[in-house]
Amino acid sequence: MSVEELKVEWENLFGSAAPNNSRAFLEFRIAYRIQELTYGGPDHETRRMLDLLADEIEGVARRKNRIADPRNPVIGTKLIREWDGVEHTVTVLRDGFDWQGRKLKSLSAVARDITGTRWNGYRFFGLRERKREEA
């Protein structure tokens, strides 16, 4: 289809004028809309998660619940890591981590405070997902 034909198809499917003239954009969104109409859109839980993630990215709290990172251990779990001969204990909180009585938002922030350099916090504490071959 030409771009003009894609714009006509857009109007048929969305009931409004196409937002731009990008062939790739129009093709992608029209294909998605056709699938959405055929198979149904995302379920309620997926839409909720996407809305919460959008709120986090925008820094706006329109909704009460935040998305918990599925890599985080259960609340109350104690993570222990030795660094330079010193044992460090971190407690998993509902909305962050406690290390030496300080509340930090991420394990990466904890690892940075411990080491003085940037680390992936999950890797530092041994929580990275194993590759499928290793699992």
Side-chain angles (χ1 to χ4, degrees), residues 22-130:
S22 167
R23 171 184 290 285
F25 175 81
L26 294 171
E27 289 174 340
F28 177 76
R29 282 296 293 129
I30 288 170
Y32 183 88
R33 182 66 177 149
I34 291 169
Q35 290 177 5
E36 188 177 44
L37 292 170
T38 303
Y39 301 110
D43 61 21
H44 174 73
E45 190 59 31
T46 301
R47 284 194 314 273
R48 180 183 157 276
M49 182 180 296
L50 291 171
D51 286 341
L52 290 169
L53 288 170
D55 286 354
E56 286 186 22
I57 289 170
E58 294 170 1
V60 178
R62 288 186 292 251
R63 293 157 193 89
K64 295 179 186 175
N65 300 332
R66 295 184 65 93
I67 298 293
D69 191 322
R71 297 174 295 179
N72 286 350
V74 175
I75 295 169
T77 299
K78 302 246 186 242
L79 304 172
I80 300 170
R81 173 67 151 83
E82 185 178 324
W83 181 260
D84 282 344
V86 178
E87 188 175 274
H88 298 274
T89 302
V90 176
T91 305
V92 179
L93 305 174
R94 180 170 173 241
D95 56 349
F97 302 90
D98 177 75
W99 174 66
Q100 295 184 339
R102 295 174 43 213
K103 183 178 172 188
L104 297 151
K105 289 186 174 186
S106 70
L107 281 176
S108 295
V110 175
R112 185 173 45 250
D113 284 358
I114 291 171
T115 66
T117 59
R118 291 189 177 272
W119 273 83
N120 177 297
Y122 297 100
R123 175 172 284 177
F124 181 78
F125 285 98
L127 299 175
R128 295 275 301 206
E129 293 180 27
R130 294 185 307 189

